[in-house]
Amino acid sequence: MLDDLYAGALADAEARRSLVSLADVERAALAQTSALDARAALQPADRVKIIAEVKRASPSRGALSEIADPASLAHSYETGGASAISVLTEGRKFKGTLADLVAVRAAVSVPVLRKDFIAEPYQVFEARAAGADLVLLIVAGLPQQKLVELHQLTLELGMTALIETHSADEVVRGLDAGATVLGVNARDLTTFELDQDLFGSLAGSIPSGVVRVAESAVKSPADVAHYRRSGADVVLVGEALVVHGDPVDALTTFLEV
């Protein structure tokens, strides 16, 4: 599944490159106003922080929500107390677009994450050109040299990388690449199986000073509380918010844990 997701994302990026050259995307990225300091926004605090996700669909669940107005949803997330907004821009399985990211960036004042299967510099420049402050880099999908290269480019463009891991070895690789914001995804992207206890088993190997993000397997405030007890500074929540019907109310209950 992960290989298919990367292959599709790269094919779509190549199609966009045929319309907008790398040089043009670089110029657009460099012309953007400075990225927000996402690491500062996600720093550990006396209560858990939430990255709230704009997510129409997923490979495991199929369609979740139409989300005709991603900017309005993101504004609701910010009103509800989200510290950052994640926007799925992958189109084949998650039904997202870069236009969603542009719309969200214009609607909120908190950092915005481009969540996609990023494997080449063109996609990083696209993210900054669209206004992203963070980009997702998935250790499982990238050779170490490429992970380091993309992380360095992200930093050079003034953004922050959320480096995502799924195992102890991947945590080591993420830290070796220089991660300052490191996520542990409960969903194994090769099998799509969930293990909510994975974060807790790996959190102790993430040093202080690195923001610890728990991802996936969140359906209720109890799940957020579970991650917080396990050492999470931040919890990324997607499906539970988009299907709730009242994202402000949902975020309020999650943040109260």
Side-chain angles (χ1 to χ4, degrees):
M1 177 64 77
L2 187 61
D3 289 343
D4 289 344
L5 289 165
Y6 269 100
L10 287 170
D12 292 342
E14 185 59 35
R16 294 191 298 272
R17 194 203 311 262
S18 70
L19 301 174
V20 182
S21 70
L22 174 60
D24 286 341
V25 170
E26 285 187 43
R27 279 192 287 270
L30 296 174
Q32 268 285 1
T33 56
S34 298
L36 299 178
D37 187 344
R39 184 172 181 273
L42 299 174
Q43 278 295 304
D46 58 0
R47 70 174 186 174
V48 72
K49 295 184 177 181
I50 299 289
I51 301 175
E53 193 156 81
V54 176
K55 182 178 185 179
R56 292 192 178 90
S58 75
S60 59
R61 291 281 305 277
L64 299 170
S65 177
E66 183 178 347
I67 311 182
D69 189 349
S72 177
L73 178 59
H75 179 72
S76 295
Y77 287 161
E78 183 176 23
T79 300
S83 295
I85 311 296
S86 171
V87 182
L88 264 301
T89 60
E90 195 277 343
R92 298 183 183 219
K93 296 293 186 180
F94 293 89
K95 309 303 180 187
T97 69
L98 277 167
D100 293 339
L101 178 59
V102 172
V104 168
R105 171 69 285 158
V108 301
S109 59
V110 295
V112 176
L113 163 70
R114 181 187 184 183
K115 196 174 184 191
D116 209 322
F117 298 90
I118 293 174
E120 62 164 49
Y122 186 86
Q123 295 164 294
V124 178
F125 283 115
E126 279 186 319
R128 183 80 279 270
D133 308 290
L134 297 113
V135 296
L136 180 71
L137 300 177
I138 303 173
V139 174
L142 298 168
Q144 189 67 11
Q145 183 176 348
K146 179 61 70 174
L147 175 65
V148 171
E149 172 193 341
L150 294 175
H151 187 211
Q152 184 59 40
L153 176 58
T154 299
L155 297 179
E156 289 172 2
L157 291 174
M159 296 185 291
T160 301
L162 168 54
I163 295 185
E164 179 177 293
T165 65
H166 307 83
S167 70
D169 288 344
E170 289 180 12
V171 169
V172 172
R173 287 184 55 201
L175 294 172
D176 285 347
T180 58
V181 180
L182 192 141
V184 175
N185 194 339
R187 188 177 300 280
D188 186 328
L189 292 181
T190 59
T191 65
F192 269 69
E193 294 179 354
L194 286 170
D195 178 3
Q196 195 182 59
D197 294 324
L198 179 63
F199 176 87
S201 72
L202 299 177
S205 61
I206 303 172
S208 60
V210 176
V211 177
R212 294 175 291 185
V213 183
E215 305 174 50
S216 296
V218 176
K219 295 182 179 179
S220 70
D223 297 325
V224 177
H226 173 76
Y227 281 138
R228 182 63 169 172
R229 287 193 301 270
S230 299
D233 304 310
V234 182
V235 178
L236 190 150
V237 187
E239 293 179 16
L241 294 177
V242 299
V243 303
H244 185 277
D246 187 341
V248 174
D249 177 69
L251 273 167
T252 299
T253 61
F254 288 158
L255 289 166
E256 284 175 349
V257 306

